[in-house]
Amino acid sequence: MLTLITNAEVFAPERLGRCDVLIAGARVAAVAASVPLQGDPLEVVDAGGRWLLPGFVDALTHPCGGGGEGGFANRTPELEAADFVRAGVTTPVGALGTDALARSLEVLYGKVMELRERGLSACMLCGSYRLPPVTLTGDVARDLVFIEPVIGVGEVAIADHRSSQPAATELRRLAAEVHLGGTLSGKRGTVLVHVGEGDAGLALLEEALRDSDLPRRVFYPTHVNRSSRLLDQAIEYARQGGFADITVATTPEFIAGGEVPPLEALSRAMEVGAPAERLTLSSDAGGSLPLYRDGELVGLQAASPAVLLDLLQTAIREEAGLVDGAVAALTRNPAEAYGLTGKGRVAAGCDADLLLLDPRSGDLIDVFGGGRRLMRSGEIVS
Ligand code: ZN
């Protein structure tokens, strides 16, 4: 089956101008100013000047729910494939999070495979906040080698009262195992690191990397907009060659407490010359947004993947200069961070994970996942 999208303003994620995009099966076959109308059967979609973007790569999601920090009643519910499709996310990366006791990697694996059957390129991380990490096979390197959807471990917590209070040596050893498993399986092998409110910030990562032979990008810190101080550390981390992930889901209470709003964080990082290609934006969807006061949990909400599309729409309306940076941070950059070849870009040979959206409102019109229609004219295709 061939699908030809004509007259699209293509973000590859760099702007290519008005192009045609030919989809052959699950892949993009051609991107050019004009692709001839040939092939049988051929569906032609006239984009009419709409924007065509790579599907979002969401570096941190909790598709089988998260939370539980305030007791069992605070567990957040599972996410459905449609939640991701409506948000433009075609590659959600799933993780357990705080709770690897009442939730399991087996359940996460099942959910990831369900999302795949529904057209999403879902991946997963073994482990959780805790060390030693939970695994499917008994060993993180074995998980990477033998469990195809596993692309790393995480989110391992540091600088957080809910973490295992790991030592730098433990983190270094874990990263070495992940790096080896990745090397053997042809994956990047990444440790996604949840950075909490603790004063140490990224200091433990710097200590773990010191005197090691590991590449800096093996540690991928998330929630780096939690405070101005942490954001500054993360900008330096990116300058040194690492990737840094800004969490888009937030609450007015978090911002009042010093969290940097995601667009502002992106803008600040770019203003001070952080390498834009190593900044990413993730939703933390399905995770809880706990609110603590004096160490006591006083409330909880669940994050949604919709925050990513909302952020892009806000940039379109209010911060046009940030649109290109935001698109790259939602697509190519997280794909690079995890080494997901063929994701996050619009180019011949890449996976046909594509979004068509209205250039004025940012409303999502069509979504393709691996060449399959997941949304048509704003409606989910089931
Ligand atoms: Zn986290």
Side-chain angles (χ1 to χ4, degrees):
M1 175 72 187
L2 297 173
T3 304
L4 181 63
I5 303 172
T6 61
N7 297 311
E9 289 291 332
V10 174
F11 290 67
E14 62 280 6
R15 294 191 195 226
L16 299 184
R18 191 67 66 103
C19 288
D20 294 349
V21 175
L22 180 66
I23 302 171
R27 298 268 171 93
V28 171
V31 182
S34 177
V35 175
L37 286 169
Q38 57 185 22
D40 186 35
L42 177 74
E43 181 188 5
V44 178
V45 178
D46 184 356
R50 286 174 176 144
W51 286 0
L52 185 146
L53 274 57
F56 297 160
V57 177
D58 195 346
L60 175 59
T61 72
H62 303 283
C64 45
E69 288 98 335
F72 295 108
N74 284 325
R75 287 154 58 88
T76 60
E78 273 195 19
L79 294 163
E80 301 305 330
D83 298 326
F84 290 109
V85 175
R86 276 192 209 98
V89 175
T90 52
T91 303
V93 178
L96 283 179
T98 328
D99 181 8
L101 298 165
R103 299 183 193 277
S104 73
L105 287 178
E106 287 79 1
V107 172
L108 177 60
Y109 175 87
K111 187 71 198 182
V112 162
M113 298 312 280
E114 178 208 328
L115 295 176
R116 286 186 173 204
E117 288 190 15
R118 297 188 191 282
L120 299 170
S121 298
C123 300
M124 66 181 280
L125 304 174
C126 62
S128 69
Y129 272 33
R130 299 171 77 202
L131 291 182
V134 289
T135 66
L136 287 162
T137 64
D139 181 294
V140 287
R142 289 179 68 86
D143 276 16
L144 273 147
V145 173
F146 296 114
I147 313 288
E148 192 274 326
V150 174
I151 59 170
V153 61
E155 49 175 323
V156 175
I158 64 168
D160 195 300
H161 65 96
R162 296 162 293 175
S163 83
S164 295
Q165 312 302 319
T169 50
E170 283 177 272
L171 278 183
R172 188 186 297 138
R173 178 65 178 267
L174 175 68
E177 294 291 319
V178 171
H179 183 65
L180 175 67
T183 302
L184 293 173
S185 59
K187 299 172 184 172
R188 174 67 51 80
T190 305
V191 182
L192 184 72
V193 180
H194 160 108
V195 189
E197 294 172 348
D199 289 340
L202 300 184
L204 201 63
L205 298 189
E206 298 294 350
E207 195 182 337
L209 286 166
R210 205 175 300 137
D211 303 325
S212 92
D213 301 309
L214 295 165
R216 179 166 288 260
R217 56 172 166 67
V218 73
F219 291 119
Y220 182 17
T222 182
H223 314 317
V224 301
N225 51 321
R226 191 182 289 284
S227 69
S228 283
R229 187 168 160 272
L230 180 59
L231 182 61
D232 289 343
Q233 287 185 342
I235 289 168
E236 188 53 33
Y237 190 79
R239 279 206 187 99
Q240 302 288 328
F243 284 86
D245 183 55
I246 294 164
T247 298
V248 178
T250 189
T251 65
E253 289 85 359
F254 282 2
I255 290 169
E259 188 163 297
V260 185
L263 262 187
E264 190 182 318
L266 185 68
S267 167
R268 269 175 52 182
M270 289 169 70
E271 270 170 26
V272 298
E277 69 276 12
R278 288 200 290 277
L279 302 172
T280 68
L281 293 159
S282 73
S283 71
D284 204 5
S288 59
L289 295 170
L291 175 62
Y292 290 95
R293 213 168 278 142
D294 300 328
E296 289 293 314
L297 186 76
V298 294
L300 189 121
Q301 297 169 265
S304 162
V307 293
L308 299 184
L309 189 62
D310 288 348
L311 175 130
L312 180 60
Q313 292 173 345
T314 303
I316 290 170
R317 279 196 315 272
E318 301 169 12
E319 298 272 3
L322 286 177
V323 166
D324 293 56
V327 170
L330 291 164
T331 58
R332 180 196 60 205
N333 302 357
E336 285 282 326
Y338 282 123
L340 296 172
T341 310
K343 297 296 181 192
R345 293 190 300 126
V346 180
C350 287
D351 294 344
D353 301 337
L354 305 170
L355 314 178
L356 275 176
L357 42 85
D358 184 291
R360 288 165 296 278
S361 64
D363 288 346
L364 204 50
I365 312 295
D366 289 302
V367 177
F368 294 85
R372 175 172 152 191
R373 279 268 194 177
L374 305 180
M375 177 185 283
R376 185 190 293 272
S377 304
E379 301 291 329
I380 296 285
V381 178
S382 52

